[in-house]
Structures are given as structure tokens and as C-alpha cells.
């Protein structure tokens, strides 16, 4: 710290003292001259002797004052720098003089100020880059398809990206911030077990859980990952939660498992039969002819079953790759329906079913892919026959108006449980009903039929009641 006198620059103080002495000298000379003049002793010469030093001292003092003014100003600025009140840029200023010292000082000040403005520019640039990086990072996080949520040690949301906002059913991040994250999840997953919430609330460290939004995977499946938020010590107990919608993945996995189960059954059973009957025929020369015929028939029908399954697989594969397309032409509906009924008559007879038809007298023109439409209708009628116990009935109704044609296939068979209806058209889906398990099927027929309807710009709808019967309607536009 400086005292008040220390605040006055040293150079200026010295000049001050010097001037005081000079002034005192001058006053003394003046007093002597006056005193001599009053006594009449002041001679011209002595006056000169007195006045000349006065003039020199005065002139010298003025020159000295001018010279040290620069030093004083520099010293004053350095004091200001030392006191630390102002920053360097304002504490140091250039001086107007052109003395060598002034020019040197001005260069120093200039360089310092240049450096300071360079630093300021760099720091502005740094801030800008940091802000840009921050914005870029925010943009990256908010573009992620996964929901990302950060929660504090109390479990309340600190930040949530756009996907998390959507997955949690909110409109904006602000609706989530400050709210209990697990409670927000609970609201979206009413069917989850209390054990899950306990697991998520308790403990720390990485945790991965799969969460099902509804009764089955089709309602939605999320994979939730919890990881501790690393970084500053203040983040202890905070977590990052990642929510990934894996519904499609899960459905694909379910379909794959169903495929493996169905393919195993659908390939192994006919192959085993073909092998068994072929071996019997090959090894036993004395099998009666009638029995041989029966064996050949079994081999032939099992081979047909295999071929149909492979065809269905190929069709479904084409659907998946988008390679399936339709070749529309005007369809003779009457002829198509009579071909189909002829095709299914043996099965109808075998199960002693009643096949009813309710057909219009006149059909409007329908442009469609005849083969695919025929295969779709055979699927629907074939299912009605398969899943209707002996003695039941199957009805085919065709309705048409100016805009559409509807093929309705009804039966009074085993029906379908309400919770299974949404899954019927998934590939390889087969009902869990024990009665269905005992009937051959690939679970591909309805997936194919629905795809055919879509390719024609139409739709397949279903209604059914367990143990009462089912109704499938294939709706096609006429235009
Ligand atoms: P599948 O080869 O098993 O018949 P589909 O795709 O044609 O395959 O049908 C899928 C499932 O839908 C069937 O396994 C069955 O559970 C159910 N289903 C289809 N049609 C009927 C029907 N008319 N009555 C009862 N269940 C049916």
C-alpha cells in the first residue's frame, strides 16, 4: 500500500523540492536586491549580478520541469498499474511528446495494447468456438434417435433430448426438467412390475432393462440403460439414462424365433414322413399294391406340403425385399370364384362342412392380379376350413358398390382370442390355442394376404370371437 505522499511520483517530488529551493533562492535574491535598493547601494552591476542568476535558475527550472514531465507521467501510469485498479489497456497511455523517452514509451505502450487486444480477440474467439462446440454438441445429442436423459442425485431430470421428450409423452424439455424420472417412466409403463422400479431407484452403476409398454411386444419395447454421470464431483449420484425404442428389433426377433419353430416343424414333419414311407417301400418288396399306393400318396402330399411352405417363404421374402409386385388385368370374378370353390371342395367334403356362397348377380369390373388375388382368397377360405371343426359351415360373400369390391370369408369355427387379433398378420404368427397347434400351418398365409390387399390399394380386416367363429374381409378398390 502507498501513503498519500507515496502516490505522488518520485520524479515530480524531486522537481517539487528543487523548485522550492529555487524559489527560496529567488526570493532571497529579490529581498537582497530590494534591501540594497532601499539603502541606495544597489549598483547597476550588482543588479546584473543578482538578476542574471535569477533568470538562469528560472529558465533552468522551467526546462527541468518540462524534461521530467514525461518521466512523471510514465511513473504515474506505472503507479496506476501497480495499484491494480485499472486494467493495463486503460492504465497505460501514449504520450504526446516526441522526446526519445516518449517515443520509446509509446512503442512499449503500443505493443502492450496490441498484445492486450490480441488476447481479447483470442479470448472472444475461444468463447465463440466454445459456444459453437456447445451448440454443436447440443444439436448432436438432440438429433439422436435414442432418448437421453440426465438426472441429478435426487433422481430429478436435469436435461432431456428431443427423442426423450417424445418417448416420455411430453411436448418440451421444460415439461420434464425438475420432475422425478422414474415417476415419468412409471406413467408410460403402467404394466411394469414394482420390482423394476425398485431396481431402477436403488443402487448405482450401469443397469440395462427391457421395458414392454403393453401386453405384448407390438405395443412397444424400450431398452433402458442407466450409467453414472461422470465428470465433476458435484455430479456424484447423477445418472444418464438412454431410452432406445427396440420394438421393431423385438418383433423381428420374435418373428425369427417363430420362423425357426415353424420351419423346423413344417420341414421336419413332411421330410420325416417322406423318408419313413420311402424307406418302407424300398426295404419291403412284399407291401401289398393298395398299401403301396397309399404310401405313394402320402409321399406326394407331404412333398406338396413342403413345396407350398417353400413357396410361402419365397413370397414372404419377396414381400420383405419389396420385390413382389402385381400385374393387374381385368378379372373374371365369376370364373375365379368357381375355380377357387372347386379347389377347396375336397377339403370341405373331407371335413363334412357346408360351403355357402352369397354372390351378386352382376359383378363390376375389377382390375387385379388374378393369381395373387386367387392365392389370397384360397388362404382365407383354406383357413376357414382348417379352423372349423367337422360339421361346421364356411361362407363366402361378395359385395360390391361403385367404389370397391369386398370378399368376406366367415366360419363358425374355433375363433381367435381378442388379444391375438392384432398379431394375426405378422409373419409366422400362429395362435397359442392348443387346437391350432395340432393343425399344420406356416403362419405366413395372412401376412401374404394382407400384403396382396395392400399392393392393390385395399385392406384386410378381421373380426372374431373365440369358440364362435371368424370373419375376414378383403377389401379392394375398383378404380
Ligand atoms: P397358418 O398357416 O397358421 O394358417 P395364417 O397366416 O394363415 O397361417 O394364419 C395365422 C393364424 O391365424 C393361424 O395360425 C390361426 O391361429 C389364425 N387363423 C387364421 N384364420 C383363422 C380362422 N378362420 N379361424 C381361426 N383362426 C384363424
Amino acid at each position: 500500500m502507498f501513503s498519500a505522499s507515496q502516490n505522488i511520483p518520485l520524479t515530480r517530488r524531486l522537481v517539487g523540492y528543487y523548485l522550492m529551493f529555487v524559489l527560496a533562492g529567488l526570493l532571497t535574491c529579490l529581498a537582497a536586491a530590494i534591501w540594497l535598493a532601499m539603502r541606495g547601494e544597489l549598483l547597476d552591476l550588482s543588479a546584473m549580478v543578482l538578476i542574471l542568476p535569477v533568470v538562469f535558475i528560472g529558465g533552468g527550472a522551467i526546462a527541468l520541469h518540462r524534461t521530467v514531465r514525461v518521466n512523471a507521467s510514465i511513473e504515474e501510469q506505472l503507479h496506476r498499474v501497480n495499484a491494480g485498479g485499472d486494467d493495463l489497456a486503460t492504465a497505460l497511455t501514449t504520450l504526446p511528446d516526441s522526446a526519445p523517452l516518449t517515443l520509446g514509451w509509446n512503442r512499449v505502450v503500443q505493443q502492450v495494447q496490441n498484445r492486450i487486444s490480441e488476447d481479447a480477440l483470442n479470448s472472444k474467439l475461444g468463447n465463440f468456438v466454445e459456444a459453437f462446440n456447445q451448440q454443436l454438441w447440443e444439436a448432436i445429442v438432440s438429433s439422436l434417435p435414442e432418448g437421453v436423459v440426465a438426472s441429478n442425485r435426487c433422481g430429478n431430470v436435469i436435461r432431456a433430448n428431443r427423442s426423450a421428450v417424445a418417448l416420455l409423452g411430453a411436448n418440451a424439455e421444460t415439461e420434464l426438467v425438475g420432475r422425478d424420472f422414474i415417476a415419468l417412466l412409471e406413467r408410460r409403463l403402467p404394466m411394469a412390475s414394482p420390482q423394476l422400479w425398485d431396481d431402477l431407484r436403488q443402487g448405482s452403476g450401469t443397469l440395462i432393462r427391457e421395458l414392454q409398454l403393453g401386453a405384448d411386444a407390438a405395443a412397444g419395447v424400450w431398452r433402458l440403460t442407466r450409467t453414472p454421470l461422470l465428470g465433476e464431483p458435484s455430479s456424484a449420484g447423477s445418472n444418464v439414462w438412454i431410452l432406445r425404442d427396440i420394438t421393431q428389433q423385438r418383433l423381428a426377433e420374435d418373428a425369427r424365433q417363430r420362423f425357426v419353430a415353424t420351419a423346423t416343424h413344417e420341414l421336419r414333419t413332411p421330410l420325416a414322413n417322406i423318408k419313413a414311407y420311402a424307406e418302407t417301400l424300398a426295404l419291403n418288396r412284399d407291401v401289398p399294391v393298395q398299401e403301396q399306393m397309399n404310401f405313394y400318396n402320402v409321399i406326394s402330399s407331404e412333398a406338396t406340403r413342403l413345396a407350398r411352405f417353400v413357396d410361402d417363404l419365397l413370397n414372404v421374402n419377396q414381400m420383405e425385399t419389396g420385390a413382389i409386385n402385381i400385374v393387374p388385368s381385368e378379372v373374371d370374378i365369376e370364373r375365379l370364384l368357381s375355380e377357387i370353390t372347386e379347389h377347396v371342395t375336397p377339403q370341405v367334403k373331407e371335413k363334412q362342412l357346408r360351403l355357402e356362397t352369397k354372390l351378386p348377380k352382376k359383378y363390376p369390373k375389377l382390375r387385379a392380379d388374378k393369381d395373387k388375388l386367387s392365392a389370397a382368397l384360397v388362404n382365407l377360405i383354406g383357413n376357414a376350413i382348417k379352423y372349423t371343426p367337422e360339421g361346421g359351415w364356411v361362407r363366402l360373400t361378395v359385395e360390391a358398390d361403385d367404389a370397391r369390391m369386398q370378399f368376406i370369408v366367415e366360419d363358425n369355427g374355433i375363433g381367435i382370442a381378442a388379444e391375438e387379433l392384432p398379431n394375426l398378420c405378422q409373419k409366422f404368427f400362429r395362435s397359442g390355442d392348443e387346437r391350432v397347434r395340432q393343425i399344420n400351418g406356416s403362419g405366413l398365409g395372412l401376412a401374404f394376404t394382407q400384403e396382396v390387399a395392400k399392393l392393390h390399394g385395399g385392406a384386410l380386416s378381421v373380426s372374431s370371437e373365440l369358440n364362435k367363429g371368424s370373419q375376414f374381409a378383403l377389401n379392394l378398390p375398383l378404380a
Side-chain angles (χ1 to χ4, degrees), residues 383 386-387 411 416 424 429-431 441-443 445-446 470 472:
N383 278 350
K386 268 199 306 191
Y387 301 114
D411 62 63
I416 303 156
L424 281 193
F429 177 83
R430 301 207 73 214
S431 165
S442 62
L446 289 182
S470 311
F472 288 84

Side-chain angles (χ1 to χ4, degrees), residues 262 266 309 312 379-388 409-417 420-421 423-433 435-437 439-449 462 464-466 469-472:
T262 308
E266 284 299 294
F309 180 67
D312 284 353
N379 268 332
L380 293 182
I381 300 171
N383 278 350
I385 296 168
K386 268 199 306 191
Y387 301 114
T388 301
V409 179
E410 292 166 277
D411 62 63
N412 68 341
I414 61 174
I416 303 156
E420 290 188 328
L421 288 178
N423 306 326
L424 281 193
C425 294
Q426 281 174 23
K427 283 179 307 216
F428 306 110
F429 177 83
R430 301 207 73 214
S431 165
D433 192 320
R435 291 169 293 182
V436 171
R437 297 276 145 205
I439 300 169
N440 289 332
S442 62
L444 293 170
L446 289 182
F448 172 80
T449 306
V462 54
S464 183
E465 208 178 319
L466 199 60
S470 311
Q471 187 196 68
F472 288 84

Side-chain angles (χ1 to χ4, degrees), residues 2-3 35 74 81 86 103 105 127 147 154-155 157 181 193 258 279 301 352 374 446:
F2 288 87
S3 69
W35 184 67
I74 292 172
V81 171
D86 299 330
L103 294 177
W105 171 254
N127 288 345
C154 307
V157 175
F181 175 64
S193 73
R258 284 198 303 269
E279 278 174 4
S301 74
Q352 296 162 15
S374 167
L446 289 182

Side-chain angles (χ1 to χ4, degrees), residues 4 25 124 179 195 204 269 287 289 431:
K124 269 190 194 157
R179 296 182 62 188
Q195 179 61 43
S204 55
T269 316
V287 179
V289 177
S431 165

